[in-house]
Amino acid sequence: GQSLEQPSEVTAVEGAIVQINCTYQTSGFYGLSWYQQHDGGAPTFLSYNALDGLEETGRFSSFLSRSDSYGYLLLQELQMKDSASYFCAVEGGYQKVTFGTGTKLQVIP
Amino acid sequence: NAGVTQTPKFRVLKTGQSMTLLCAQDMNHEYMYWYRQDPGMGLRLIHYSVGEGTTAKGEVPDGYNVSRLKKQNFLLGLESAAPSQTSVYFCASSYSDRGPENEKLFFGSGTQLSVL
């Protein structure tokens, strides 16, 4: 089976940097993705890592270490609109995409 | 280009009733997924499909059935609804080629289902 662990809640100050961690156990691994979901909305794709290292997309970066079954999402220059839930997701064997339970990020002034 | 469309957006059922949720995508995606989302539980995979005429079980398949008769449509059925199936249901789709830019899931706007 597949399981993913991430913190349930994180609070950070506007303008600061926050890191959301994700550890996973999976049978088969093709990549780790991150999604953002605002209250009442649908998840939207942020980033994807198939190989070890850092991927940067604007204010957001994502890191993967396959040997440690670990990844993180880094959000820089936090804005109030970044308040949302963030989910890591693993694509494992048989094209299954499994999501973590999500991290609720609260950005405060 | 509508993307992924789910119908209906809201539905209230009585215990034991049946219903079908429809997901349609116009991006020619091979893969389609049904998830349910409950508070504190994240998104849990119910069933998925890697192509027309194929389906597979996810993490929580009991009480649900699916069909993928046409590539663009993925139907989720509840034969005898139970209060435990009260949830928000999301459909998603993606390309099969996991090259750059193809790895993302595109989600529908969700269906809020209440079973009384």
Side-chain angles (χ1 to χ4, degrees):
Chain A
Q2 297 174 162
S3 67
L4 297 90
E5 289 190 12
Q6 43 181 138
S8 58
E9 294 181 356
V10 173
T11 300
V13 178
E14 188 177 14
I17 300 172
V18 70
Q19 178 174 313
I20 299 173
N21 299 322
C22 174
T23 58
Y24 60 87
Q25 290 183 318
T26 180
S27 53
F29 178 86
Y30 290 93
L32 181 73
S33 299
W34 289 91
Y35 288 80
Q36 179 191 60
Q37 185 181 32
H38 287 99
D39 285 347
T44 56
F45 174 83
L46 289 176
S47 68
Y48 177 77
N49 295 70
L51 303 174
D52 287 358
L54 192 68
E55 294 283 342
E56 297 181 69
T57 308
R59 295 188 295 114
F60 295 176
S61 302
S62 57
F63 172 83
L64 175 65
S65 169
R66 295 174 65 132
S67 60
D68 295 324
S69 297
Y70 164 77
Y72 66 72
L73 179 69
L74 192 72
L75 294 80
Q76 303 181 71
E77 301 173 13
L78 281 173
Q79 302 176 8
M80 298 300 290
K81 67 178 182 180
D82 296 330
S83 293
S85 292
Y86 293 84
F87 296 88
C88 57
V90 163
E91 182 181 1
Y94 304 105
Q95 294 80 39
K96 273 187 181 180
V97 179
T98 303
F99 283 75
T101 53
T103 299
K104 190 172 181 68
L105 170 65
Q106 183 182 13
V107 180
I108 57 176
Chain B
N1 191 340
V4 180
T5 303
Q6 289 182 233
T7 53
K9 295 191 184 305
F10 302 94
R11 186 72 185 269
V12 178
L13 291 178
K14 294 181 179 179
T15 297
Q17 287 185 315
S18 63
M19 78 162 294
T20 300
L21 282 68
L22 171 64
C23 177
Q25 53 92 7
D26 61 2
M27 296 173 282
N28 201 35
H29 286 168
E30 287 290 338
Y31 297 170
M32 297 187 75
Y33 304 82
W34 275 108
Y35 291 90
R36 60 176 288 174
Q37 185 171 35
D38 304 291
M41 302 289 286
L43 290 148
R44 291 185 291 169
L45 181 63
I46 306 172
H47 287 281
Y48 65 105
S49 168
V50 298
E52 181 178 316
T54 72
T55 63
K57 293 180 179 180
E59 306 165 77
V60 289
D62 294 342
Y64 305 95
N65 56 75
V66 287
S67 65
R68 184 101 180 266
L69 299 179
K70 293 184 178 181
K71 185 178 183 179
Q72 63 267 34
N73 295 337
F74 195 28
L75 279 63
L76 177 70
L78 287 74
E79 290 187 348
S80 179
S84 60
Q85 294 177 305
T86 293
S87 188
V88 179
Y89 292 84
F90 285 102
C91 175
S93 68
S94 73
Y95 291 105
S96 59
D97 175 12
R98 287 298 196 253
E101 302 300 317
N102 286 348
E103 62 279 354
K104 64 179 71 172
L105 297 187
F106 293 80
F107 281 84
S109 57
T111 296
Q112 174 69 63
L113 176 66
S114 295
V115 183
L116 306 179

